[in-house]
Amino acid sequence: MSPDARPEPERDPVPAPAPALTRRRMLQLMGTASGMAAGVPALAPLLGSEGVATQGAAAMAQATPAATPAAAASALPPDIPPWMLAWGPLASPYGERSPYEKGVLRIPIATTFTDSWTPLQDLVGTITPNSLFYERTHAGVPQIDPAQHRLMVHGMVERPTIFTMADLKRFPAVSVIHFLECSGNSGSQWKEATLKPTAQEAHGLLSCTEWTGVPVRTILREVGWKPGGTWLLCEGADAAAMTRSIPAEKAMEDGLLVYGQNGEALRPSQGYPLRLILPGWEGNMNIKWLRRIEVGTAPWETREETSKYTDLLPDGTARQFTFVMEAKSVITFPSGGQTIPEPGFWEIRGYAWSGRGKITGVEVSTDGGETWAFSTLQEPVLPISLTRFRFPWTWDGRPALLQSRAIDETGYVQPTIAQLVAARGVNSTYHMNGITTWAVADSGEVTDVYR
Amino acid sequence: MFTDNGQTFGFGKPATEAEIAGWDIAIQPDGTGLPPGSGTVKEGEALFARLGAKCHGAKGEGTASAPALVGGAGTLNTDKPLKTVGSYWPYATTLYDFIHRAMPADRPQSLQPSEVYALCAYLLHLNGIVPEDAVMDAQTLPKVIMPNHAGFTSPDPRPDVFDTLDVTLPATATS
């Protein structure tokens, strides 16, 4: 079992093998070797996405019975695996993962379907696959024709301008890797009663992507941004016309208008065809389906920066404009819902990240924070990006309390939940970045505990 | 972080005043952006019964599918704070902005300005903020002082919680 794999996740039924398309049958379909070049295109229409043989191919295979090799006794030594005894599906226009991996899924919120959570415990590496990037919408996902999409930039500018997607893609482009995290991520950790059972459900409003686009600075310069235009209103083209006021200083520093996500166009739920990226700042400010930027001198006090995304304190006041996502980490193996199969060597693995820059260290404790030791960070460590940490551990089969704490380049050390609660109470909803504790039972079962 | 030579490119086309007027739906706290029109509490009551009650409850008390719009006064500093228009929202203009841009959820941006003003008047009245004979328009709405107007603080005081570790970071973690 791969340590990062969920123990016995609910998987889709594994499809039956494609109808036997034996090597001999393949050659019959292709004709002779000399006819191969012409034969391949003739075969191609018979193959569906990812080359899974279509009904047509199956029918042809049945219509012309071909000798098949003797069925393999098993896939394991000393037998010959069946997938070595016949050609597999051929090339396809757009790839899909193995049917054996189809149990790795986002979890949508069952009541509203406005969110879905990334399966952090099932991922390896640092980049989130586009199909597993977390989702958070305020009025569903608009189905936008990019040819009909426009970005209007106006307000305190010399030249109010409307850009097409073609215009925006023509500007000098940049690519940069950054995490994105909802400010409500890990919010279940504020109270013991709301703890979630798995890393995915507790912390899965978190993903990391290589974004490609044009700097906001380039566009504001293009339209003649006037100094004194200190705030930007950024508005989406969804049915919520999702809107936030953004300090122009941040947007000018490292803000991006992106159209690319991990090498292809943004996915619709990530803002296709255009979204704002504000590295390290709370997810909702990274306005998706961006249609309008207005330059002004003060925040607009929109619903999403007053009624929502403000942090209520015990005295009844609320912090407003709490933008940055502070340093955080979470162990993804062993993590809640998993079971360690047996005592012995296991590598503790997890993610660390900070909206303020690079992660400089991640400490791991296996005794509930009594003692700590540094883990190894996967290079390269990039600023404002998911960083992998790994820590060798020999489990003795007895109960353990696993924790990780991140340190970033500002010297900030990830606090405990108790420290955050002492400072902010339990009703501030957002910006929970406390240390998660996974309790390992002597059975190997792992659960989230409140400490 | 990104460097370029500061040039401009001439891409895009000028936005006309009409184009901007069609898309610029944002309302500022001082009332900038509010259109002509007006609405009363009574008109708002009828509109809310037709458009708002099915999600927000007959009197804006909230349902499983949409938050409470009314009530919660005095709860923000308790164990069970109820954040509503009346108890939490700092600006009345936000009510106009959000109702127009996003409500009703099944047909956003469909209401006429006078309808939006009327809904603002009704919801403010339900929260005891304006009297029953109030009329909301571009002049009166920005003058409404919300109960929690002074309840928000900025800038962000974080980092408000952090330790300093007296340790040397390992070389592998500092490259």
Side-chain angles (χ1 to χ4, degrees):
Chain A
M1 183 183 109
S2 162
D4 273 354
R6 287 192 292 188
E8 301 303 326
E10 288 186 21
R11 300 204 186 270
D12 290 348
V14 173
L21 197 59
T22 63
R23 184 165 183 272
R24 177 175 297 193
R25 178 71 196 127
M26 184 77 72
L27 292 175
Q28 284 176 355
L29 285 167
M30 288 177 168
T32 62
S34 62
M36 243 177 159
V40 170
L43 178 63
L46 300 175
L47 300 172
S49 175
E50 197 70 359
V52 174
T54 63
Q55 289 184 342
M60 279 191 67
Q62 286 171 0
T64 312
T68 52
S74 81
L76 305 177
D79 297 322
I80 304 170
W83 41 81
M84 296 184 72
L85 299 175
W87 280 40
L90 300 180
S92 65
Y94 199 85
E96 294 179 19
R97 60 187 170 171
S98 163
Y100 297 97
E101 295 297 324
K102 287 190 173 174
V104 178
L105 296 168
R106 292 185 294 223
I107 299 176
I109 297 300
T111 50
T112 60
F113 288 90
T114 53
D115 315 29
S116 70
W117 300 62
T118 293
L120 300 176
Q121 70 284 344
D122 296 329
L123 301 182
V124 297
T126 57
I127 295 292
T128 309
N130 288 348
S131 295
L132 295 175
F133 197 107
Y134 85 87
E135 301 171 299
R136 174 73 178 99
T137 64
H138 295 76
V141 179
Q143 304 298 298
I144 297 176
D145 173 358
Q148 300 296 315
H149 187 75
R150 297 291 183 273
L151 174 66
M152 176 184 288
V153 186
H154 69 108
M156 293 181 61
V157 300
E158 300 286 350
R159 295 174 294 280
T161 304
I162 293 174
F163 298 99
T164 64
M165 287 307 301
D167 293 331
L168 294 167
K169 290 180 177 179
R170 197 172 163 191
F171 285 100
V174 295
S175 293
V176 63
I177 294 172
H178 287 307
F179 78 82
L180 197 67
E181 183 183 18
C182 178
S183 59
N185 195 32
S186 316
S188 56
Q189 308 285 99
W190 281 111
K191 301 175 185 177
E192 184 167 16
T194 57
L195 286 183
K196 299 283 184 66
T198 66
Q200 176 170 13
E201 291 158 282
H203 308 290
L205 295 176
L206 168 74
S207 294
C208 188
T209 285
E210 183 205 59
W211 307 101
T212 296
V214 54
V216 175
R217 176 195 311 144
T218 302
I219 299 303
L220 289 182
R221 181 185 296 124
E222 184 71 25
V223 300
W225 173 69
K226 297 176 181 174
T230 51
W231 286 84
L232 311 179
L233 183 78
C234 293
E235 182 177 271
D238 56 332
M242 173 75 186
T243 309
R244 284 293 308 253
S245 305
I246 313 285
E249 183 180 5
K250 168 68 175 180
M252 293 290 279
E253 180 187 354
D254 59 1
L256 288 174
L257 306 179
V258 306
Y259 42 79
Q261 178 184 357
N262 289 333
E264 63 179 355
L266 286 173
R267 291 295 172 90
S269 64
Q270 293 311 316
Y272 180 82
L274 185 72
R275 85 175 298 172
L276 178 66
I277 288 292
L278 298 172
W281 285 21
E282 59 184 26
N284 72 84
M285 303 182 73
N286 297 251
I287 297 292
K288 294 179 285 202
W289 316 293
L290 185 68
R291 73 157 193 164
R292 191 165 75 91
I293 300 175
E294 181 175 356
V295 182
T297 59
W300 277 253
E301 306 286 354
T302 72
R303 185 251 200 179
E304 311 299 341
E305 60 208 26
T306 54
S307 169
K308 307 295 181 185
Y309 303 115
T310 48
D311 312 340
L312 184 63
L313 300 178
D315 67 0
T317 67
R319 292 177 182 170
Q320 192 181 21
F321 305 125
T322 48
F323 300 137
V324 73
M325 301 306 296
E326 297 192 287
K328 189 156 136 186
S329 65
V330 62
I331 292 170
T332 54
F333 179 85
S335 63
Q338 297 174 331
T339 300
I340 306 174
E342 60 181 12
F345 176 84
W346 295 96
E347 187 174 68
I348 292 173
R349 297 169 179 170
Y351 287 119
W353 63 101
S354 170
R356 292 199 180 95
K358 288 184 180 181
I359 290 296
T360 50
V362 179
E363 289 183 296
V364 170
S365 174
T366 59
D367 56 12
E370 295 295 318
T371 60
W372 295 90
F374 277 101
S375 64
T376 300
L377 303 186
Q378 175 65 57
E379 298 285 347
V381 176
L382 301 174
I384 314 181
S385 294
L386 288 192
T387 299
R388 269 277 169 202
F389 66 89
R390 301 186 179 96
F391 183 82
W393 180 47
T394 298
W395 182 44
D396 59 10
R398 292 201 291 265
L401 293 171
L402 307 184
Q403 297 180 328
S404 62
R405 65 179 177 193
I407 305 160
D408 71 17
E409 63 178 292
T410 69
Y412 177 90
V413 180
Q414 181 183 1
T416 64
I417 291 172
Q419 286 175 302
L420 288 169
V421 168
R424 305 178 198 164
V426 295
N427 287 316
S428 62
T429 307
Y430 306 103
H431 293 289
M432 161 49 75
N433 67 318
I435 292 170
T436 289
T437 305
W438 301 120
V440 180
D442 52 13
S443 65
E445 290 178 51
V446 186
T447 53
D448 197 359
V449 295
Y450 191 79
R451 281 174 68 89
Chain B
M1 181 175 180
F2 305 114
T3 59
D4 56 39
N5 60 11
Q7 74 181 106
T8 56
F9 299 86
F11 305 155
K13 77 169 192 66
T16 67
E17 287 187 17
E19 287 171 329
I20 294 171
W23 275 23
D24 182 3
I25 58 174
I27 310 300
Q28 295 177 33
D30 67 0
T32 300
L34 284 171
S38 69
T40 67
V41 171
K42 194 169 180 58
E43 291 162 353
E45 182 174 14
L47 277 166
F48 188 83
R50 186 157 58 84
L51 301 174
K54 67 180 175 184
C55 292
H56 290 287
K59 292 289 181 183
E61 68 275 16
T63 69
S65 63
L69 306 174
V70 176
T75 67
L76 295 183
N77 62 351
T78 69
D79 289 344
K80 293 191 174 170
L82 178 61
K83 296 187 278 188
T84 73
V85 170
S87 70
Y88 198 57
W89 290 36
Y91 296 97
T93 47
T94 307
L95 203 49
Y96 188 103
D97 178 287
F98 187 71
I99 292 171
H100 174 241
R101 76 172 57 240
M103 291 289 124
D106 56 356
R107 46 189 188 98
Q109 296 198 54
S110 66
L111 298 181
Q112 296 303 308
S114 291
E115 296 177 306
V116 181
Y117 282 123
L119 286 165
C120 290
Y122 178 61
L123 291 173
L124 292 169
H125 176 66
L126 275 183
N127 280 291
I129 298 169
V130 301
E132 192 167 6
D133 60 354
V135 178
M136 287 295 118
D137 59 27
Q139 281 69 50
T140 57
L141 185 66
K143 292 195 176 74
V144 174
I145 304 298
M146 299 296 276
N148 197 40
H149 177 75
F152 292 84
T153 61
S154 65
D156 186 355
R158 297 175 306 154
D160 54 343
V161 178
F162 61 100
D163 290 327
T164 302
L165 289 187
D166 184 21
V167 294
T168 302
L169 295 175
T172 54
T174 56
S175 61

